[in-house]
Amino acid sequence: MRILVIGSGGREHAIGWKIAQDEKRENIFFLPGNAGTAQIGQNIDGDVMDFVHIKESCIANNIEMVVVGPENPLCAGIYDLFKTDEALKNIALIGPSREGAQLEGSKDFAKAFMAKYDIPTAQYQTFTSDSIEEGKAFMKTLAPPYVLKADGPAAGKGVVILDTYEQASQELEEMLNGKFGEASSKVVIEEFLSGIECSVFVLTDGKNYKILPVAKDYKRIGEGDTGLNTGGMGAISPVPFADEVFMSKVKERVVLPTLHGIEQENIDYKGFIFIGLISVKGEPFVIEYNVRLGDPETEAIMLRIESSLVDLFKGVANQNLDEVDYKESKQTSATVMLVSQGYPEKYEKGKAITFETDKDYDGAVFHAGTKQQDDQIVTNGGRVISVSAKGDNIPEVLKKAYQQVDKISFEGKFYRKDLGFDL
Ligand code: AMP
Ligand code: GLY
């Protein structure tokens, strides 16, 4: 089967690496991909939001299946285009419809959905510029700190957590007065939940589902979870606190009601649901939904999926996912993200990367922000390379991963050395 993976990060390289266990290199395509994906398939230049170009590329390359990595094309309706366009409708697209993607694209939509289907989440209300005073009054009913969320996508900056009522009411005014443009024309204010977070991934054909390996990511740039938020500095799978008891609560209280809601609302959903969860004294609450896989969680969990990802995707496309075998490894995996000095703020690109990693270590190296420049691979983003390893326990996999991290060099290489410190 000829498969196109849309996106250019470590997530997409890891998805492609897993597909490559079943498919020949000439059947695997990436748009736009990176220097790592070029080693396992064919990169097609272009932008993930350029649907005209994506359509032309699918036709030119006889693509039979498209897997969408990032959320933006999903929120913009790439699924709906493939479903309705005469030339594309026989191509299976793994990802939800535009309506389903609202679970990530609109915090207000997601919260209303959770409220309607009785899915545990922080209590909340949504406000607009006409209801700033009501927003402040609602805040007074909550204990600090205060959580304010821009309704729409705001480049990862739309969630603000503030300690005092004064700071929070000023932030509310600024957000509703256009701080994040259209994205903050509505603001969700919610109760602060205290606990430890994890990422649960579900693959669904709209009816049947598989719960994929659970993972925990490390979002802050600094050790001990300090400093600025990043796209993700590493991940570990599975997560010791997400044990069998916790995961059965997740299934009963979150996964099944979410799928029930999707069916009840007649939402066309054939893709991933990424549930950002917080465990509050052992009870799961949903922090957010995403409609794609996580990055860098994917770089860890792909090492633990033993079944064929291509067969799982076919099950999604044919809506018989219940008939597809799913097995995951009991072993542990982790990924360490190597980033450019200065990330997530200003950083330089174009630094030569050298790889002296062992060929046969128990893991894989996934490229994120890299590109081929003549005969040299160079840095091309903030998150550059993700080094994944598999083993029997967290200390062992981290040791294996950090050993390989030491064998990759580029000027300004930075990474967190304390992954798993809280587990
Ligand atoms: P989001 O963009 O929704 O992932 O939120 C970013 C981060 O803010 C989450 O990963 C949490 O760490 C934190 N967060 C969001 N909502 C809450 C909440 N209600 N209580 C505590 N922390 C939260
Ligand atoms: N690692 C979190 C995310 O992909 O949003």
Side-chain angles (χ1 to χ4, degrees):
M1 177 166 247
R2 293 168 74 79
I3 305 177
L4 169 67
V5 180
I6 299 208
S8 61
R11 169 180 51 207
E12 288 75 21
H13 188 183
I15 292 171
W17 171 85
K18 184 72 186 142
I19 290 173
Q21 293 176 1
D22 299 313
E23 284 298 340
K24 289 195 279 242
R25 183 193 167 124
E26 56 265 34
N27 287 338
I28 307 175
F29 297 79
F30 298 88
L31 191 154
N34 57 40
T37 63
Q39 294 168 2
I40 58 168
Q42 188 182 319
N43 285 352
I44 302 170
D45 258 349
D47 189 299
V48 302
M49 296 301 280
D50 185 349
F51 292 180
V52 173
H53 175 59
I54 291 174
K55 174 178 170 176
E56 286 167 2
S57 304
C58 284
I59 294 168
N61 293 290
N62 295 317
I63 297 298
E64 294 162 284
M65 177 180 280
V66 175
V67 183
V68 184
E71 67 277 15
N72 289 347
L74 295 166
C75 291
I78 193 167
Y79 174 91
D80 311 72
L81 169 71
F82 273 70
K83 189 164 180 171
T84 51
D85 190 294
E86 258 325 294
L88 300 174
K89 66 182 192 197
N90 292 324
I91 302 176
L93 185 132
I94 307 301
S97 61
R98 184 206 290 259
E99 194 190 3
Q102 293 263 94
L103 284 175
E104 175 163 0
S106 164
K107 302 275 187 207
D108 179 46
F109 179 92
K111 294 295 285 191
F113 178 91
M114 288 185 257
K116 184 166 178 186
Y117 293 99
D118 219 8
I119 294 162
T121 187
Q123 22 144 352
Y124 85 106
Q125 280 186 30
T126 302
F127 300 94
T128 63
S129 56
D130 294 332
S131 53
I132 294 182
E133 291 315 310
E134 289 89 330
K136 292 182 185 173
F138 177 64
M139 257 175 339
K140 285 216 161 126
T141 70
L142 302 172
Y146 302 93
V147 182
L148 279 70
K149 299 184 173 182
D151 176 54
K157 296 194 163 52
V159 176
V160 185
I161 301 179
L162 294 163
D163 285 328
T164 69
Y165 170 79
E166 287 68 31
Q167 290 168 323
S169 47
Q170 187 178 342
E171 179 70 27
L172 177 67
E173 281 183 26
E174 287 174 15
M175 281 170 106
L176 288 172
N177 287 325
K179 179 170 178 181
F180 299 111
E182 181 57 30
S184 64
S185 61
K186 283 191 214 166
V187 172
V188 168
I189 301 179
E190 68 179 38
E191 172 196 11
F192 180 83
L193 298 175
S194 186
I196 183 159
E197 291 176 55
C198 66
S199 308
V200 170
F201 301 100
V202 178
L203 179 65
T204 182
D205 61 11
K207 220 181 176 69
N208 308 294
Y209 69 96
K210 305 286 183 199
I211 299 180
L212 306 177
V214 58
K216 181 177 194 318
D217 74 338
Y218 290 83
K219 291 195 178 73
R220 303 292 196 93
I221 188 74
E223 305 205 337
D225 282 344
T226 55
L228 293 173
N229 251 324
T230 71
M233 297 295 291
I236 293 179
S237 173
V239 187
F241 75 80
D243 57 12
E244 229 170 275
V245 173
F246 182 80
M247 289 307 290
S248 79
K249 291 177 188 171
V250 171
K251 180 177 157 186
E252 295 303 323
R253 298 179 197 170
V254 179
V255 175
L256 294 177
T258 298
L259 292 166
H260 173 71
I262 286 172
E263 234 186 313
Q264 286 292 303
E265 301 293 318
N266 271 319
I267 296 174
D268 202 349
Y269 206 119
K270 297 198 189 81
F272 295 104
I273 310 171
F274 163 175
I275 306 166
L277 282 175
I278 189 161
S279 165
V280 181
K281 300 196 179 84
E283 306 303 323
F285 286 80
V286 178
I287 289 282
E288 61 169 350
Y289 287 113
N290 295 300
V291 298
R292 51 176 171 82
L293 286 176
D295 193 346
E297 290 95 325
T298 306
E299 292 93 304
I301 70 171
M302 284 302 156
L303 270 57
R304 297 191 52 237
I305 298 177
E306 289 180 341
S307 316
S308 153
L309 192 61
V310 175
D311 286 348
L312 289 165
F313 286 155
K314 285 181 186 163
V316 170
N318 300 328
Q319 288 193 287
N320 63 352
L321 190 56
D322 54 329
E323 292 166 26
V324 183
D325 182 45
Y326 175 72
K327 257 180 85 182
E328 66 184 48
S329 160
K330 294 210 179 338
Q331 282 191 299
T332 293
S333 61
T335 196
V336 181
M337 188 62 78
L338 311 189
V339 305
S340 302
Q341 186 71 50
Y343 173 79
E345 297 185 286
K346 233 170 96 75
Y347 57 84
E348 290 176 13
K349 295 183 185 178
K351 309 289 182 195
I353 309 172
T354 56
F355 297 86
E356 280 158 13
T357 44
D358 298 327
K359 286 244 165 345
D360 52 0
Y361 89 96
D362 197 2
V365 171
F366 299 119
H367 290 220
T370 67
K371 74 170 183 188
Q372 188 79 40
Q373 200 166 26
D374 304 321
D375 55 359
Q376 176 69 54
I377 293 176
V378 300
T379 65
N380 192 39
R383 294 197 291 174
V384 178
I385 304 254
S386 155
V387 178
S388 301
K390 195 164 99 173
D392 287 332
N393 53 54
I394 295 176
E396 183 193 313
V397 280
L398 288 172
K399 190 170 162 214
K400 283 187 190 173
Y402 286 125
Q403 268 169 2
Q404 302 305 317
V405 165
D406 289 341
K407 298 180 182 186
I408 298 175
S409 326
F410 57 90
E411 191 189 312
K413 176 179 102 175
F414 177 81
Y415 59 95
R416 270 181 65 169
K417 301 177 181 70
D418 70 334
L419 299 187
F421 77 95
D422 51 350
L423 296 178

